[in-house]
Amino acid sequence: MTENHLTTDQIQSLFAFVKSKYVRYIDVQYELVDHLATAIEDEMQKDSKLSFEAALSKVYARFPITGFYQFYCIKSRQFRQLLVAAILQFTHLPLLRPKFSSRY
């Protein structure tokens, strides 16, 4: 079997495809494009006569009826958790400890 690598134009069309499915966060777009590209290359390696568009349709059909929505929600939740943790890390007030006098 020969190795099939996607062209730059095909990768760009994957980004356009992902954006057309209302995925707005760039890090989520990159993860989805990477996942799709790997799966498409695998499909094209299994069947050398399979076109890029047919392989994309076949791979996208594996996603649930909601498409990328579930993946998008998981990644959005993870992003929010990281953001909140970062904000809390940099905005917490220092602990104020009462000073006790040694004079009794």
Side-chain angles (χ1 to χ4, degrees):
M1 289 187 186
T2 62
E3 291 227 8
N4 289 323
H5 293 290
L6 299 182
T7 66
T8 304
D9 290 337
Q10 289 170 330
I11 298 294
Q12 291 304 320
S13 68
L14 284 178
F15 274 106
F17 177 77
V18 168
K19 286 178 189 177
S20 75
K21 301 299 180 188
Y22 305 104
V23 178
R24 63 182 175 170
Y25 296 120
I26 192 73
D27 57 330
V28 178
Q29 289 176 9
Y30 274 98
E31 283 195 49
L32 282 170
V33 166
D34 180 55
H35 176 76
L36 290 171
T38 303
I40 289 170
E41 287 173 348
D42 290 345
E43 288 298 324
M44 291 173 76
Q45 191 171 12
K46 289 177 191 173
D47 182 3
S48 60
K49 295 178 184 173
L50 194 64
S51 70
F52 169 76
E53 291 79 14
L56 174 58
S57 295
K58 192 172 182 180
V59 169
Y60 186 65
R62 294 180 195 158
F63 283 86
I65 192 79
T66 56
F68 299 136
Y69 184 72
Q70 185 178 14
F71 184 82
Y72 175 79
C73 288
I74 291 168
K75 290 300 175 182
S76 295
R77 188 177 323 116
Q78 289 174 349
F79 177 74
R80 280 192 304 275
Q81 289 171 345
L82 285 173
L83 184 61
V84 167
I87 289 171
L88 289 176
Q89 181 181 1
F90 291 107
T91 61
H92 76 281
L93 295 175
L95 280 175
L96 299 176
R97 296 184 180 152
K99 286 188 173 184
F100 293 105
S101 173
S102 61
R103 291 185 255 157
Y104 285 110

